[in-house]
Amino acid sequence: QEKLDMSTYPVESIRNFSIIAHVDHGKSTLADRLLEITGTIAKTDRNKQVLDKLQVERERGITVKAQSASLFYNHEGVNYLLNLIDTPGHVDFSYEVSRSLSACQGVILVVDANEGIQAQTVANFYLAFEAQLAIIPVINKIDLKNADPERVEKQIEKLFDIPIEECVRISAKQGTNVEKVLQKVIEKIPPPQCNTVDPLKALVFDSTFDHYRGVIANIALFGGEIQKGHKIVSAHTKKRYEVNEVGILTPNEQPTHTLYAGQVGYLIAGMKEVTEAQIGDTLFLYKQPVEPLPGFKSAKPMVFAGMYPVDQTEYNNLKSALERLTLNDSSVTVHRDSSLALGAGWRLGFLGLLHMEVFNQRLEQEYNMSVILTAPTVPYKAILSSAKLIREYGKAEITIINPAQFPDKLSVSEYLEPTVLGTIVTPHEYIGKIIALCQDRRAVQKDMLYIDERRVMLKYLFPLNEIVVDFYDALKSLSSGYASFDYEDAGYQEADLIKMDILLNGNPVEELATIIHSDKAYATGKLLCERLKDAIPRQLFEIAIQAAVGKKIIARETLKAYRKNVVAKCYGGDITRRMKLLKRQAEGKKLMRKIGNVEVPRDAFIRVLKRQTDK
């Protein structure tokens, strides 16, 4: 394989850009066309979402990982090097988007000519706008018969203050007008501000693990140059490495002699440990330290779930699989955790439910690991008032991830729950239903804006635990799939939280305790009791399944005992004889209930703790 010479591309002929849009507006399809036009991949009918390489992306038809590719393009006699990053569209992966933008100087904002502006379009636009990047609006799917590009142009002008003349109308599927997008990229997006004479400064913005070569880091060079044999140091771990290979990604790895300032590529430097390639890390030459780049603020997990191996002997294998997967998906936080029923495991923090499902699916497909995921919870906070507890924790404000650590009401001045600011974009005929749904979820309306005569943008402040499980599904089914939803973190607010215990014959079951808002306690308690009644096998004595808040029982189901028909041998005779036999049986059952203890089988736990899909 011939190594490329990258020195022919000076800084002024480099353009770094990413493609951002709402889900399914055609980002990956546009990326395919750009790759074909620049001759990076051959033109065939098989090129469908070439950059979505993971199996889970192929199956679900969504982008999960941001992928980069370098394109070579000749415009007016000058050879340009374009580094393209294709980003995901779901709100759960907005961390990938904000990371990708750090390596870019401009973005292509794709909007569907049929759907118009949706919630994620707005969110991604502001990410790019805050990063002060050049924005090229592109209206895609003009080949559809319902497409209405004029309406979309007006929306873009109204919401984003971008003049109508700047919008490029394309059809990525058929390749109409895509060439124009490349010309716009070259004209509108500035080259990176850096110099090859400066000392080496490289930002690690993504990394993957390869069984044979160790960690492969994707880097963006902000200064200097790097080649095989250079000694480099990581600013984060202070460890020294020797560079084995550098190159560019033309989706596939293409080794080069050297990478120069302003270019984006990959680097292999014999990093053996998964933890060594921290995303957001700065690399520099040995003995030439530089000021580290600001890096990324770490992602804030929104949803926590317990993850346990199905069989405890698999613990170590799962541990190494988790380490490798979190290297590739750095937005997952991992804490050790253990539970009486499920053994040793982890408490993982995800950015949302889809993120959690995709992570689980990748564990199964890429590492053959089957795991138990418990029901998702959100992180609460408590402000302590008792001096003894403050001394114990060392601070007055504590974060509660596990219901077992929930402090008693007497020693707490207030409980706080996480909130998010949700944006809903919907056709106006569904407003009534959606407002009712939001009020049911304890949301507070902040803003309501008509984007044009048919679409409305609503802003609500939601408690996170109300939207975490099934809000999105409910919203989609109410609005026949037209409404779109996006949220961002909005800090904590005071809430009336309680801890609900589940008792079996008066004994609390630690794994089933949950933290909920007092308004929702009764409904949740009843649901859990009913589900447990179906899951626990019957015994020879009766089992009382109760939901309790403190000392107060709020819901109860009774699992009846198996019993022998003791009156089968009575034919006629006096009633007192029957009563005597039944009474004797009842006494026996009572004694049994005192000494018998209820073992909840493991699969019953799994059935109850799994996500509640049967609501």
Side-chain angles (χ1 to χ4, degrees), residues 401-418:
I401 296 177
N402 206 336
Q405 304 152 353
F406 194 71
D408 195 49
K409 198 160 194 161
L410 299 171
S411 54
V412 168
S413 58
E414 59 177 353
Y415 293 116
L416 305 172
E417 66 176 347

Side-chain angles (χ1 to χ4, degrees), residues 16-22 25-35 51 63 65-69 71 83-89 96-98 100-101 104 106-111 124-125 128 133-134 136-138 140 170 172 178 181-182 185 189:
N16 300 328
F17 66 98
S18 25
I19 306 180
I20 57 175
H22 188 79
H25 280 202
K27 289 184 292 296
S28 300
T29 316
L30 175 59
D32 293 346
R33 291 298 90 68
L34 295 179
L35 289 170
L51 290 175
T63 309
K65 277 296 291 174
Q67 297 285 358
S68 49
L71 327 172
N83 294 317
L84 160 140
I85 301 182
D86 179 29
T87 62
E96 286 281 326
V97 180
S98 61
S100 309
L101 295 184
C104 296
V107 294
I108 297 178
L109 178 72
V110 182
V111 187
N124 285 343
F125 168 79
L133 305 180
I136 299 173
V138 167
N140 189 11
I170 64 161
V178 179
V181 176
L182 279 175
V185 165
I189 296 177

Side-chain angles (χ1 to χ4, degrees), residues 212-453:
Y212 305 105
R213 297 180 295 176
V215 174
I216 301 174
N218 288 17
I219 55 169
L221 266 73
F222 284 92
E225 51 185 65
I226 189 167
Q227 62 189 39
K228 185 177 174 177
H230 273 175
K231 302 265 192 306
I232 56 166
V233 182
S234 140
H236 182 76
T237 58
K238 304 281 183 283
K239 286 194 176 174
R240 260 172 66 188
Y241 303 103
E242 185 172 334
V243 181
N244 299 340
E245 184 183 322
V246 291
I248 54 169
L249 295 152
T250 54
N252 305 322
E253 288 159 10
Q254 170 87 21
T256 61
H257 290 290
T258 317
L259 282 180
Y260 297 92
Q263 298 175 358
V264 174
Y266 71 92
L267 159 134
I268 301 172
M271 299 181 182
K272 299 283 185 296
E273 287 299 313
V274 172
T275 48
E276 288 175 30
Q278 282 290 326
I279 288 182
D281 194 0
T282 306
L283 304 174
F284 54 83
L285 286 179
Y286 180 55
K287 297 255 173 83
Q288 290 182 9
V290 292
E291 184 70 28
L293 293 155
F296 310 109
K297 56 177 192 295
S298 55
K300 268 190 100 165
M302 293 285 196
V303 183
F304 286 87
M307 182 179 272
Y308 301 92
V310 174
D311 183 4
Q312 275 299 312
T313 53
E314 289 286 296
Y315 182 85
N316 284 339
N317 298 351
L318 181 57
K319 186 175 171 206
S320 69
L322 264 182
E323 279 176 356
R324 283 177 196 167
L325 195 45
T326 46
L327 167 77
N328 192 262
D329 185 351
S330 64
S331 45
V332 180
T333 58
V334 183
H335 297 290
R336 292 278 298 280
D337 193 17
S338 68
S339 120
L340 293 174
L342 304 172
W346 295 268
R347 193 134 200 110
L348 302 183
F350 300 101
L351 300 182
L353 277 192
L354 178 72
H355 186 197
M356 174 169 127
E357 280 173 20
V358 164
F359 189 84
N360 193 15
Q361 204 174 330
R362 284 183 70 184
L363 265 183
E364 280 175 14
Q365 289 169 350
E366 295 170 32
Y367 299 97
N368 296 328
M369 285 286 150
S370 51
V371 293
I372 299 162
L373 267 181
T374 63
T377 58
V378 301
Y380 298 102
K381 282 187 175 174
I383 292 176
L384 304 171
S385 59
S386 90
K388 184 180 168 207
L389 274 176
I390 292 177
R391 272 203 308 279
E392 197 179 307
Y393 285 106
K395 53 184 186 292
E397 188 178 88
I398 58 168
T399 304
I400 310 151
I401 296 177
N402 206 336
Q405 304 152 353
F406 194 71
D408 195 49
K409 198 160 194 161
L410 299 171
S411 54
V412 168
S413 58
E414 59 177 353
Y415 293 116
L416 305 172
E417 66 176 347
T419 57
V420 292
L421 186 64
T423 309
I424 300 171
V425 177
T426 168
H428 64 93
E429 58 263 32
Y430 302 112
I431 283 188
K433 288 180 183 172
I434 287 175
I435 289 179
L437 171 73
C438 294
Q439 282 168 349
D440 181 46
R441 299 300 176 100
R442 315 197 331 259
V444 184
Q445 187 170 348
K446 288 288 179 201
D447 188 17
M448 180 165 160
L449 172 80
Y450 273 82
I451 298 177
D452 57 16
E453 55 278 3

Side-chain angles (χ1 to χ4, degrees), residues 519-555:
D519 299 351
K520 301 274 167 142
Y522 176 72
T524 316
K526 193 155 178 50
L527 190 86
L528 265 179
C529 288
E530 282 167 4
R531 209 180 288 110
L532 264 173
K533 186 182 176 183
D534 298 338
I536 295 177
R538 280 172 70 184
Q539 308 283 351
L540 286 169
F541 48 92
E542 118 179 349
I543 300 175
I545 304 168
Q546 295 165 315
V549 172
K551 296 276 183 283
K552 186 179 166 201
I553 305 291
I554 53 171

Side-chain angles (χ1 to χ4, degrees), residues 465-520:
N465 60 350
E466 293 293 334
I467 61 166
V468 86
V469 179
D470 57 355
F471 177 78
Y472 191 65
D473 304 343
L475 181 72
K476 282 286 188 206
S477 57
L478 276 185
S479 64
S480 330
Y482 282 115
S484 56
F485 178 63
D486 169 71
Y487 58 81
E488 56 188 275
D489 186 39
Y492 280 77
Q493 71 174 21
E494 196 179 335
D496 184 9
L497 300 175
I498 49 180
K499 177 182 173 188
M500 185 173 74
D501 287 307
I502 300 290
L503 313 175
L504 295 182
N505 279 352
N507 300 324
V509 184
E510 191 181 293
E511 284 73 38
L512 297 177
T514 48
I515 302 173
I516 44 173
H517 195 271
S518 57
D519 299 351
K520 301 274 167 142

Side-chain angles (χ1 to χ4, degrees), residues 18-55:
S18 25
I19 306 180
I20 57 175
H22 188 79
V23 187
D24 272 347
H25 280 202
K27 289 184 292 296
S28 300
T29 316
L30 175 59
D32 293 346
R33 291 298 90 68
L34 295 179
L35 289 170
E36 284 178 8
I37 287 176
T38 55
T40 313
I41 52 176
K43 278 190 184 168
T44 61
D45 298 339
R46 288 202 306 278
N47 288 339
K48 285 202 170 65
Q49 283 95 9
V50 182
L51 290 175
D52 293 352
K53 296 178 184 147
L54 301 174
Q55 191 181 342

